[in-house]
């Protein structure tokens, strides 16, 4: 699409919306930037200086039909009435990722999945940057694609974390390498059914060609059954694959492109094995030498808010796993713990169930401290499964203090909520940062 002179409505003015509005204005579009908030703090020069018209504190229902294009932020549900109006008038509704893709001159590696995508994206970014210093990491990881796209050249490489919310508004998006790490129940308050959720995730490879690659988690039944138009490359922690990347007696092994490679021993990596395998598969498909992959895997320290070690106080270790916003991810957090766990969980209601998570407690969890919107539902689930070591609290500060009081030297306190954060916090990062703050504020008498 030629943007010069086009009327474009940008809805939602968090970082990605602002970035999209700025890019469109630079391309000569007539931009109206809308948000339900009456005040927006801008990350760049004032919108007026760029010729961007503001529509703040108002809904765009009455004006949407006068635009050539609508660009929405991922947090805006796709079924709102004003978007239905746009579709009935055949007005394209894109997300920021689709907008950036239309301008991108270089190959894209796109990574999605219910769990692990931030860790894998970060790791792949680090590995690729050793191989190609012009690699840029963008997307759901917190850096809008549109912030970088106008500075990219054909020799660059983009590594992008892509969420299901972002994939809802992709149409021509076609990465050279894509990955679907796993599919488990999540965001059903938005997507309604698992079938819709999975179909949305599959949009990441829908436009790929037979020369492209898609990396799929073999151990996940939903991923194993996918039928992309591109080359399927599996990774597995459980099966020794004829073709793919897998564990073999503690070694990451890759049988790809007529080669049989031993990459590195998994116990040298400080991340979950499935994430290391996925990153290895992606980077081998991108042409990275195995030695560079091995060195990066060994040196990778993980990401903030994902099984992040905080500190040890009087023999009690504290871990921040705030990014565990669903039960499958929270189970992974529990699996990573080597000590008895005092667990802090609960949060926003995404219409999830908690049985699988609670069933895992008996092997790991000494005590559960629960808070947030789904607190009562989690307690009911605990009772149903015969787990009775729990307390309910009203704040994260109270949870941290009680967790420390319940812990003994040799235990660990783990924030791994199994829920989104939006009932009490702006995002999981804020929740995790506050957890760390409250941990460092602990000044109790020594345990005896």
């Amino acid at each position: 699409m030629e943007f010069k002179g086009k009327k474009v409505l940008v809805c939602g003015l968090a970082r990605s919306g602002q970035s999209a509005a700025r890019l469109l204005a630079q391309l000569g579009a007539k931009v109206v930037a809308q948000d339900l908030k009456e005040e927006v703090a801008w990350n760049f020069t004032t919108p007026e200086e760029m010729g961007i018209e503001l529509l703040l504190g108002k809904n765009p229902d009455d004006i949407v039909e006068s635009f050539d294009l609508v660009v929405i932020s991922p947090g805006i549900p796709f079924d709102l009435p004003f978007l239905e109006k746009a579709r009935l008038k055949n007005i394209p509704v894109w997300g920021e990722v689709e907008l950036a893709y239309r301008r991108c001159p270089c190959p894209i590696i796109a990574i999605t999945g219910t769990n692990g995508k931030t860790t894998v994206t970060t790791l792949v970014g680090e590995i690729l940057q050793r191989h190609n210093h012009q690699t840029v990491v963008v997307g759901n990881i917190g850096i809008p694609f549109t912030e970088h796209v106008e500075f990219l050249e054909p020799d660059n490489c983009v590594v992008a974390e892509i969420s299901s919310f972002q994939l809802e508004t992709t149409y021509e998006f076609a990465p050279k390498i894509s990955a679907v790490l796993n599919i488990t129940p999540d965001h059903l308050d938005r997507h309604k059914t698992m079938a819709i959720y999975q179909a949305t995730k599959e949009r990441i490879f829908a436009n790929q060609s037979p020369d492209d690659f898609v990396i799929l988690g073999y151990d996940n039944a939903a991923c194993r059954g996918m039928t992309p138009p591109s080359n399927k490359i599996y990774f597995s922690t459980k099966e020794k694959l004829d073709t793919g990347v897998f564990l073999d007696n503690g070694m990451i092994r890759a049988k790809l492109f007529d080669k049989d490679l031993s990459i590195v021993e998994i116990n040298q990596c400080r991340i979950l094995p499935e994430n290391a395998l996925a990153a290895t598969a992606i980077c081998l498909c991108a042409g990275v030498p195995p030695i560079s992959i091995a060195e990066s895997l060994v040196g990778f320290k993980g990401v903030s808010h994902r099984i992040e070690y905080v500190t040890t106080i009087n023999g009690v270790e504290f871990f921040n796993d705030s990014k565990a916003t669903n039960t499958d991810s929270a189970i992974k957090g529990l699996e990573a713990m080597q000590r008895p766990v005092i667990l802090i969980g609960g949060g926003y209601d995404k219409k999830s169930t908690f049985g699988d998570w609670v069933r895992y407690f008996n092997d790991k969890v000494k005590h559960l401290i629960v808070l947030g919107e789904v607190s009562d539902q989690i307690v009911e689930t605990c009772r149903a499964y015969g787990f009775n070591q729990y307390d309910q609290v009203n704040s994260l500060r109270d949870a941290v203090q009680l967790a420390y009081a319940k812990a003994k030297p040799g235990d660990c306190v783990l924030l791994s909520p199994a829920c989104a954060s939006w009932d009490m916090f702006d995002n999981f990062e804020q929740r995790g940062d506050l957890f760390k703050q409250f941990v460092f504020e602990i000044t109790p008498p020594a345990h005896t």
Side-chain angles (χ1 to χ4, degrees):
M1 176 184 285
E2 172 58 49
F3 296 100
K4 188 174 180 62
K6 291 289 195 296
K7 294 181 64 179
V8 183
L9 176 65
V10 177
C11 299
L13 299 178
R15 185 173 175 181
S16 66
Q18 291 187 28
S19 179
R22 177 174 58 180
L23 173 61
L24 288 160
Q26 291 171 338
L27 295 173
K30 298 176 182 177
V31 180
V32 175
Q34 178 271 339
D35 198 290
L36 292 178
K37 295 179 182 177
E38 295 186 354
E39 293 185 9
V40 172
W42 289 86
N43 298 320
F44 57 89
T45 185
T46 63
E48 291 83 2
E49 291 177 331
M50 300 195 68
I52 297 173
E53 181 183 341
L54 296 180
L55 182 69
L56 300 181
K58 297 179 182 178
N59 193 299
D61 279 29
D62 296 334
I63 62 170
V64 66
E65 295 170 303
S66 65
F67 289 89
D68 300 306
L69 171 68
V70 179
V71 176
I72 63 172
S73 293
I76 296 176
F78 200 50
D79 57 358
L80 293 181
F82 83 94
L83 296 176
E84 183 61 26
K85 279 187 178 182
R87 288 189 287 270
L88 288 173
K89 289 288 187 178
N90 293 316
I91 300 167
V93 178
W94 295 356
E96 182 257 353
V97 168
E98 181 72 13
L99 172 62
Y101 172 76
R102 304 286 181 117
R103 302 290 301 174
C104 186
C106 65
I108 299 169
I109 297 171
I111 299 161
T112 197
T114 305
N115 298 305
K117 56 186 178 292
T118 298
T119 298
V120 173
T121 300
T122 304
L123 175 54
V124 169
E126 287 193 13
I127 297 171
L128 263 292
Q129 284 164 352
R130 294 171 68 105
H131 180 65
N132 176 0
H133 296 304
Q134 299 182 78
T135 297
V136 176
V137 180
V138 301
N140 192 59
I141 202 164
I143 305 168
F145 196 169
T146 47
E147 278 190 15
H148 289 277
V149 70
E150 287 300 289
F151 305 103
L152 298 175
E153 302 288 344
D155 290 338
N156 288 109
C157 176
V158 170
V159 179
E161 177 188 342
I162 307 294
S163 71
S164 61
F165 292 2
Q166 290 170 315
L167 286 167
E168 281 183 319
T169 49
T170 56
Y171 302 95
E172 294 185 7
F173 182 64
K176 185 66 180 173
I177 301 172
S178 67
V180 186
L181 307 178
N182 45 61
I183 300 288
T184 57
D186 199 16
H187 298 301
L188 298 186
D189 56 327
R190 169 100 165 222
H191 297 299
K192 310 305 181 189
T193 70
M194 277 298 295
I196 294 173
Y197 178 52
Q198 179 172 329
T200 303
K201 289 290 193 183
E202 291 178 345
R203 293 170 75 101
I204 200 167
F205 57 65
N207 298 314
Q208 286 188 299
S209 74
D211 295 329
D212 297 331
F213 296 96
V214 57
I215 314 304
L216 299 170
Y218 186 87
D219 301 335
N220 181 266
C223 291
R224 190 166 61 247
M226 290 178 178
T227 56
S230 45
N231 294 296
K232 288 190 291 188
I233 305 293
Y234 289 117
F235 66 91
S236 175
T237 63
K238 299 177 180 178
E239 300 289 335
K240 294 181 181 180
L241 303 172
D242 293 333
T243 302
V245 179
F246 54 95
L247 289 182
D248 186 0
N249 294 320
M251 176 68 69
I252 297 179
R253 187 175 168 195
K255 296 177 72 172
L256 290 173
F257 313 123
D258 298 321
K259 295 180 180 180
D260 190 338
L261 304 168
S262 294
I263 306 297
V264 71
E265 292 181 356
I266 193 63
N267 63 11
Q268 295 186 55
C269 307
R270 287 176 283 183
I271 57 173
L272 296 172
E274 53 263 44
N275 293 339
L277 294 170
T280 298
I282 292 167
C283 292
L284 287 172
C285 290
V288 180
I291 186 64
S292 293
I293 296 173
E295 289 172 353
S296 295
L297 286 172
V298 172
F300 185 64
K301 297 179 180 179
V303 298
S304 296
H305 310 293
R306 188 63 179 121
I307 317 177
E308 175 190 9
Y309 171 73
V310 179
T311 190
T312 299
I313 302 175
N314 290 332
V316 178
E317 292 183 346
F318 290 81
F319 290 89
N320 166 30
D321 195 30
S322 182
K323 200 173 189 306
T325 58
N326 57 66
T327 57
D328 188 63
S329 183
I331 289 170
K332 297 292 187 185
L334 286 171
E335 288 176 345
M337 296 298 103
Q338 303 302 312
R339 296 176 166 213
V341 178
I342 310 300
L343 177 63
I344 300 174
Y348 174 80
D349 185 4
K350 292 194 291 184
K351 308 304 179 187
S352 301
T353 58
F354 297 96
D356 289 346
W357 184 48
V358 172
R359 276 197 295 269
Y360 198 81
F361 288 2
N362 288 330
D363 296 329
K364 285 276 187 176
V365 178
K366 287 178 62 175
H367 201 88
L368 170 68
I369 299 166
V370 66
L371 69 160
E373 191 173 87
V374 296
S375 177
D376 290 341
Q377 183 183 342
I378 291 174
V379 165
E380 289 173 6
T381 306
C382 287
R383 290 171 178 164
Y385 285 93
F387 184 87
N388 299 309
Q389 303 303 312
Y390 58 79
D391 283 289
Q392 291 177 268
V393 297
N394 294 320
S395 73
L396 184 56
R397 187 190 298 273
D398 289 346
V400 170
Q401 292 174 345
L402 181 57
Y404 182 80
K406 294 284 186 182
K408 297 183 182 301
D411 293 345
C412 67
V413 173
L414 172 67
L415 170 69
S416 191
C419 301
S421 57
W422 305 315
D423 56 337
M424 300 174 71
F425 310 95
D426 292 339
N427 47 50
F428 73 82
E429 293 96 339
Q430 184 190 56
R431 177 171 62 188
D433 288 340
L434 284 170
F435 171 76
K436 290 186 284 187
Q437 175 187 322
F438 298 150
V439 168
F440 285 116
E441 288 176 358
I442 290 174
T443 55
H447 281 293
T448 58

